[in-house]
Amino acid sequence: MEPYLISTKEIQVSYADTDMMGVIYHANYLKWFELGRCQLVEDAGYHYLDMEEAGYYAPVYQVEVTYKKAVHYGDRVFVKTWVEENQGLWTVYGYKVVNDSGEVCAEGHTKHILVRKDNFKPVQFKKAFPEWFRRYEEIKKNRHKTYCLFFVWYYQFCSNAS
Amino acid sequence: MEPYLISTKEIQVSYADTDMMGVIYHANYLKWFELGRCQLVEDAGYHYLDMEEAGYYAPVYQVEVTYKKAVHYGDRVFVKTWVEENQGLWTVYGYKVVNDSGEVCAEGHTKHILVRKDNFKPVQFKKAFPEWFRRYEEIKKNRHKTYCLFFVWYYQFCSNAS
Amino acid sequence: MEPYLISTKEIQVSYADTDMMGVIYHANYLKWFELGRCQLVEDAGYHYLDMEEAGYYAPVYQVEVTYKKAVHYGDRVFVKTWVEENQGLWTVYGYKVVNDSGEVCAEGHTKHILVRKDNFKPVQFKKAFPEWFRRYEEIKKNRHKTYCLFFVWYYQFCSNAS
Amino acid sequence: MEPYLISTKEIQVSYADTDMMGVIYHANYLKWFELGRCQLVEDAGYHYLDMEEAGYYAPVYQVEVTYKKAVHYGDRVFVKTWVEENQGLWTVYGYKVVNDSGEVCAEGHTKHILVRKDNFKPVQFKKAFPEWFRRYEEIKKNRHKTYCLFFVWYYQFCSNAS
């Protein structure tokens, strides 16, 4: 059993995304992250457009990518995406780009805030979408870590108590 | 003297726009056409955003590009743009991509309609922006051809009359 | 029965490909055509990289697109691709972008030549890839039209003869 | 006096680079960083193609971007670029995207390695391009910090000595 929800999205690798180095141009991985993120949102039971229809945008506040292995045109690649952090004011998604031999080609994360469409003022994801926020609490990466830490502590507590 | 207004815009050729063939990927020329078109609009005394602020979009209805000579990263390229046709319901812009040896690397045109932002329904450019439309009449390619035809006809008319 | 081979490729519509008009930016349809074309090549039993590995590129010489209906983020779209013309010196692919209601959002074609990788000099597709060329003869759009014309002529010829 | 070389490159902001949020799509800032970096390389007296012609590529190993203020179509923006780190095995470039009011819209860095074109094996920038490496030593951000630390140490050393 997966300890937290990891979505998998196969990417359509396009010639347009290569550069004269013969590999995928680095900026295009961010588009792949976007596709992975949308898949995760769908797997969690939502759609990004739900946010926009409710009057919000979820712009990217920060990105970080480390490139491990160049992707070539003709390779089959998949983006694996999960919720890394789910705070009141931001959500951090984690990503791995893997090829069909299971090699990690890139990994990274994007941090998103939630803003009102009309004025781009930040709002709390937790308040704007409480159910969606709770869903992320269930599927996020650190939930189980928290549980584990709790169990370790509880075990020690009980051990000490006896 | 230029017989009609031709704008010139130098393009920032980017590595991102190359592909593994070692040349600029063909779709990116349409972005260059966009930059050329905006330069022409500015040279004519307007800005594309004037349209959007007035409640309209000018989407592309048709494009056609012929690629004559591959552009490489490191080349200096310029887009030359003019108004090819200026009809009530559409505007056709003509383009040439030239390098710094004056060679034509690509040429093409884009046909634009004008629509309302709220419902994407077409409206007449002539009615929505009468002054801008008249400006295009002045600078368009076929104006002088029309004049020439008129003079030919007038000369013949006068000759016949005498 | 399909009178000629038409490939269907579902496209991953990405937020990255939208513009501030709220629709897919027109240049991105050319990337979709590329994905459709590669699907057709695969359906015909080949892969574009076979060309490159054999020492050739198949650059785009001409494109033409007509935009009929804007595509929005969240729409499901498919590119339908076929071989429109299969000449000694060029291949023309035809395309239709359709949504899941079957509406045609765009249509167009791209004309490709075949060049040597080392010097970009054109070569005959028919000579470089005779088997692939013959495969295109089988699947191309006008084959059946040619057959029909032949049968019409043959029928008339026989009728006259008798 | 600038304590280290900072290049400034005005960016051609294109409609193609906007998204349906009405702002520049986040991945496109990486293309702007590329333009800024090339300007810095030129200002330092070189050209990226010098590397490729000598048989090397300088792929991106890591990127990090923080988005502070959305850029809109019609804004004038500039990328300021400098050498942040110049190590034997990698070069880190720092970037700021500023608008014409001097506001910082984004900042980030990219870490590059140097690899052989034929096998993508990393090589030392210092060994492959010793002169270029020394030039980066002169213009990099931390040079003066190093000098300052040296002077502080030297001052203390002398003070202690006396």
Side-chain angles (χ1 to χ4, degrees):
Chain A
M1 198 197 75
E2 214 50 274
Y4 52 95
L5 180 60
I6 300 182
S7 281
T8 300
K9 172 78 172 180
E10 181 162 6
I11 298 298
Q12 292 175 340
V13 177
S14 121
Y15 204 88
D17 290 337
T18 61
D19 65 19
M20 61 187 276
M21 232 177 252
V23 298
I24 298 302
Y25 183 75
H26 63 281
N28 296 323
Y29 287 71
L30 291 180
K31 299 185 188 174
W32 295 357
F33 284 4
E34 181 216 307
L35 291 168
R37 187 166 64 246
C38 290
Q39 188 61 51
L40 177 81
V41 170
E42 276 183 48
D43 290 351
Y46 296 88
H47 196 287
Y48 171 69
L49 286 179
D50 300 342
M51 280 189 180
E52 297 213 352
E53 274 151 25
Y56 302 93
Y57 289 131
V60 178
Y61 174 69
Q62 202 170 49
V63 303
E64 192 275 325
V65 193
T66 304
Y67 303 89
K68 307 254 168 151
K69 190 178 161 60
V71 174
H72 294 82
Y73 180 71
D75 290 356
R76 288 188 67 189
V77 291
F78 305 83
V79 178
K80 298 195 167 282
T81 312
W82 61 89
V83 176
E84 181 82 29
E85 285 182 50
N86 184 42
Q87 303 288 343
L89 276 171
W90 65 71
T91 311
V92 178
Y93 297 89
Y95 310 87
K96 270 199 206 319
V97 174
V98 295
N99 62 20
D100 61 356
S101 313
E103 293 167 301
V104 176
C105 301
E107 54 192 15
H109 67 259
T110 61
K111 181 186 272 195
H112 296 254
I113 55 171
L114 192 72
V115 300
R116 285 189 197 287
K117 276 171 101 164
D118 48 4
N119 59 11
F120 266 71
K121 289 263 185 275
V123 291
Q124 292 224 0
F125 176 40
K126 194 184 202 158
K127 288 194 178 159
F129 298 96
E131 198 199 323
W132 193 335
F133 179 84
R134 278 196 303 274
R135 182 77 182 107
Y136 273 14
E137 285 297 295
E138 282 168 31
I139 65 168
K140 75 178 179 185
K141 194 173 181 182
N142 295 331
R143 178 173 62 105
H144 297 274
K145 201 198 285 174
T146 316
Y147 281 2
C148 292
L149 287 172
F150 174 76
F151 287 130
V152 167
W153 168 82
Y154 186 70
Y155 175 77
Q156 290 178 331
F157 176 80
C158 296
S159 305
N160 292 342
S162 62
Chain B
M1 197 198 74
E2 214 50 274
Y4 52 95
L5 179 61
I6 301 181
S7 282
T8 300
K9 172 78 171 180
E10 181 163 3
I11 298 298
Q12 293 175 340
V13 178
S14 123
Y15 204 89
D17 291 336
T18 61
D19 64 20
M20 61 188 275
M21 233 178 252
V23 300
I24 299 301
Y25 184 76
H26 63 281
N28 296 322
Y29 288 69
L30 291 180
K31 300 185 187 173
W32 294 358
F33 284 5
E34 182 216 307
L35 292 168
R37 187 165 66 245
C38 290
Q39 188 61 51
L40 177 81
V41 170
E42 278 184 48
D43 291 351
Y46 297 89
H47 195 288
Y48 171 69
L49 286 179
D50 300 342
M51 279 188 181
E52 296 213 353
E53 275 152 23
Y56 302 94
Y57 290 130
V60 178
Y61 174 69
Q62 201 170 52
V63 303
E64 192 275 324
V65 192
T66 304
Y67 303 89
K68 307 255 170 150
K69 191 179 158 61
V71 174
H72 294 83
Y73 180 70
D75 291 356
R76 289 188 67 189
V77 292
F78 305 83
V79 178
K80 298 193 169 282
T81 312
W82 60 90
V83 175
E84 181 82 29
E85 285 183 50
N86 185 43
Q87 303 290 343
L89 276 172
W90 64 72
T91 313
V92 178
Y93 297 89
Y95 310 87
K96 269 198 207 321
V97 174
V98 295
N99 63 19
D100 60 356
S101 314
E103 292 167 302
V104 176
C105 301
E107 55 191 16
H109 68 261
T110 61
K111 180 187 274 196
H112 296 252
I113 55 171
L114 192 72
V115 300
R116 287 190 196 286
K117 276 172 103 162
D118 48 5
N119 60 10
F120 266 71
K121 288 262 186 276
V123 290
Q124 292 226 0
F125 176 40
K126 194 182 203 160
K127 288 194 177 159
F129 299 96
E131 198 198 323
W132 194 337
F133 179 85
R134 278 196 302 275
R135 182 78 181 104
Y136 272 16
E137 285 297 296
E138 282 168 32
I139 65 169
K140 75 177 179 186
K141 194 173 181 182
N142 296 329
R143 178 173 61 106
H144 297 274
K145 201 197 288 174
T146 315
Y147 281 3
C148 292
L149 286 173
F150 175 75
F151 287 130
V152 167
W153 167 82
Y154 187 71
Y155 176 77
Q156 291 179 331
F157 176 82
C158 297
S159 305
N160 292 339
S162 62
Chain C
M1 198 198 75
E2 215 49 273
Y4 53 95
L5 180 60
I6 300 182
S7 281
T8 299
K9 173 79 172 179
E10 181 162 5
I11 298 298
Q12 294 175 339
V13 177
S14 123
Y15 203 89
D17 290 336
T18 62
D19 65 19
M20 61 188 277
M21 233 178 249
V23 299
I24 299 301
Y25 184 75
H26 63 280
N28 296 322
Y29 288 70
L30 291 181
K31 299 184 189 175
W32 296 357
F33 284 5
E34 181 215 307
L35 291 168
R37 186 166 66 244
C38 289
Q39 187 62 51
L40 177 80
V41 170
E42 277 183 48
D43 291 351
Y46 296 88
H47 196 288
Y48 171 68
L49 287 179
D50 300 342
M51 278 187 181
E52 297 213 352
E53 275 152 24
Y56 301 94
Y57 290 130
V60 178
Y61 175 69
Q62 200 170 51
V63 303
E64 192 275 324
V65 193
T66 304
Y67 303 89
K68 307 253 169 152
K69 189 179 162 58
V71 174
H72 295 82
Y73 180 69
D75 291 356
R76 287 189 68 189
V77 292
F78 304 83
V79 178
K80 295 193 171 284
T81 312
W82 61 89
V83 176
E84 182 82 30
E85 284 181 50
N86 183 43
Q87 303 290 342
L89 275 171
W90 64 72
T91 311
V92 178
Y93 297 89
Y95 310 87
K96 270 197 206 321
V97 174
V98 295
N99 62 20
D100 60 357
S101 312
E103 293 167 301
V104 176
C105 301
E107 53 191 17
H109 68 259
T110 59
K111 181 188 272 196
H112 297 253
I113 54 169
L114 192 72
V115 301
R116 287 190 196 286
K117 277 172 100 164
D118 48 5
N119 60 10
F120 265 71
K121 289 263 185 279
V123 290
Q124 292 225 2
F125 175 42
K126 194 184 203 157
K127 287 194 178 161
F129 298 96
E131 198 198 323
W132 193 335
F133 180 85
R134 278 196 302 274
R135 182 78 182 107
Y136 273 15
E137 284 298 294
E138 281 169 32
I139 64 168
K140 75 177 180 184
K141 194 173 181 181
N142 296 330
R143 178 173 62 106
H144 297 275
K145 199 197 287 175
T146 315
Y147 281 2
C148 291
L149 288 173
F150 175 76
F151 287 130
V152 167
W153 168 83
Y154 187 70
Y155 175 76
Q156 291 178 332
F157 176 82
C158 296
S159 305
N160 293 339
S162 63
Chain D
M1 197 199 74
E2 216 46 276
Y4 52 95
L5 179 60
I6 300 182
S7 281
T8 300
K9 172 78 172 180
E10 181 162 4
I11 298 298
Q12 293 175 340
V13 178
S14 121
Y15 203 89
D17 290 337
T18 62
D19 65 20
M20 60 187 277
M21 233 178 250
V23 299
I24 299 301
Y25 183 75
H26 63 280
N28 296 322
Y29 288 70
L30 291 180
K31 299 184 188 175
W32 296 356
F33 284 5
E34 181 216 306
L35 291 168
R37 186 166 65 246
C38 290
Q39 188 61 52
L40 177 81
V41 169
E42 276 183 47
D43 291 352
Y46 296 88
H47 196 288
Y48 170 69
L49 286 179
D50 301 342
M51 279 188 181
E52 296 212 353
E53 275 152 24
Y56 302 92
Y57 290 130
V60 178
Y61 175 69
Q62 201 169 52
V63 303
E64 192 275 324
V65 192
T66 304
Y67 302 89
K68 307 254 170 153
K69 190 179 161 62
V71 174
H72 295 82
Y73 180 70
D75 291 355
R76 287 188 67 189
V77 293
F78 304 84
V79 178
K80 296 193 171 283
T81 312
W82 61 89
V83 176
E84 182 82 31
E85 284 182 51
N86 184 41
Q87 303 291 342
L89 275 172
W90 63 72
T91 312
V92 178
Y93 297 89
Y95 311 88
K96 270 197 207 320
V97 174
V98 296
N99 62 20
D100 61 356
S101 314
E103 292 168 301
V104 176
C105 300
E107 54 192 16
H109 68 260
T110 59
K111 180 187 273 195
H112 297 253
I113 54 170
L114 192 73
V115 301
R116 286 189 197 287
K117 277 171 101 163
D118 48 4
N119 59 10
F120 266 70
K121 289 261 185 275
V123 291
Q124 293 225 1
F125 176 40
K126 194 185 205 157
K127 288 195 177 160
F129 299 95
E131 198 198 323
W132 193 336
F133 180 85
R134 277 196 303 275
R135 182 77 182 107
Y136 272 16
E137 284 298 295
E138 282 168 32
I139 65 168
K140 74 176 180 184
K141 194 174 181 181
N142 295 330
R143 178 174 60 107
H144 297 275
K145 200 197 288 174
T146 315
Y147 281 3
C148 292
L149 286 172
F150 175 76
F151 287 130
V152 167
W153 168 82
Y154 187 70
Y155 176 76
Q156 291 178 333
F157 176 81
C158 297
S159 305
N160 292 340
S162 64

